Amino acid sequence: MSALTDYIDAWVANDVDRIAAAVTQDCVIVECYGPVYRGRDWVRRWAQEWFAAGGIVHRWDITDHFITGDREAAQWSFECTWEGRRTVFDGASIARSASGRIVELREYQTTAPLYDWRGTWR
């Protein structure tokens, strides 16, 4: 387990306390949709409100992951329901951790279906 995999597993478990425990008091989380959450209290509030509004993480499968020093990165496939709409997309996270907790996290999302290019673009 690592700081990033602990964080991801906590979201899959829909566990607000584990999500908050996975980050430092002064963390900065940049979600791929644009919001920035500064500090554990805001991360906790975000998770509580997201789940209370009906948000569900169905799966967050890591397809590639590495750690070097205090940095780690992962590519993943994510599936959730938000506002009644089920969505699946690929993405990546880059994190910095200290003492087993996330200090900084930045997520990126693939915005279109992937395809093999054969001379024309979709």
Side-chain angles (χ1 to χ4, degrees):
M1 298 292 282
S2 70
L4 182 56
T5 58
D6 287 347
Y7 177 81
I8 288 172
D9 288 348
W11 276 99
V12 173
N14 299 316
D15 189 328
V16 173
D17 291 334
R18 280 180 57 198
I19 293 166
V23 301
T24 62
Q25 190 65 36
D26 61 346
C27 70
V28 177
I29 308 294
V30 180
E31 195 177 14
C32 62
Y33 300 109
V36 178
Y37 309 96
R38 296 181 193 278
R40 182 182 293 145
D41 293 341
W42 281 106
V43 170
R44 178 184 297 281
R45 182 173 171 185
W46 159 42
Q48 287 172 333
E49 292 187 16
W50 195 82
F51 291 128
I56 302 166
V57 176
H58 301 286
R59 65 180 181 82
W60 196 345
D61 299 330
I62 295 173
T63 58
D64 191 16
H65 177 238
F66 71 89
I67 300 171
T68 181
D70 66 347
R71 306 286 173 157
E72 63 183 299
Q75 295 182 76
W76 38 259
S77 179
F78 182 76
E79 182 173 359
C80 74
T81 296
W82 177 244
E83 296 182 333
R85 192 181 73 206
R86 197 163 180 147
T87 306
V88 178
F89 62 88
D90 295 327
S93 298
I94 300 171
R96 184 171 64 85
S97 62
S99 301
R101 292 191 170 135
I102 293 173
V103 176
E104 296 174 359
L105 174 70
R106 178 106 190 213
E107 295 178 341
Y108 298 90
Q109 171 184 349
T110 301
T111 58
L114 302 178
Y115 65 95
D116 290 334
W117 186 74
R118 296 291 182 251
T120 58
W121 289 276
R122 293 185 187 167

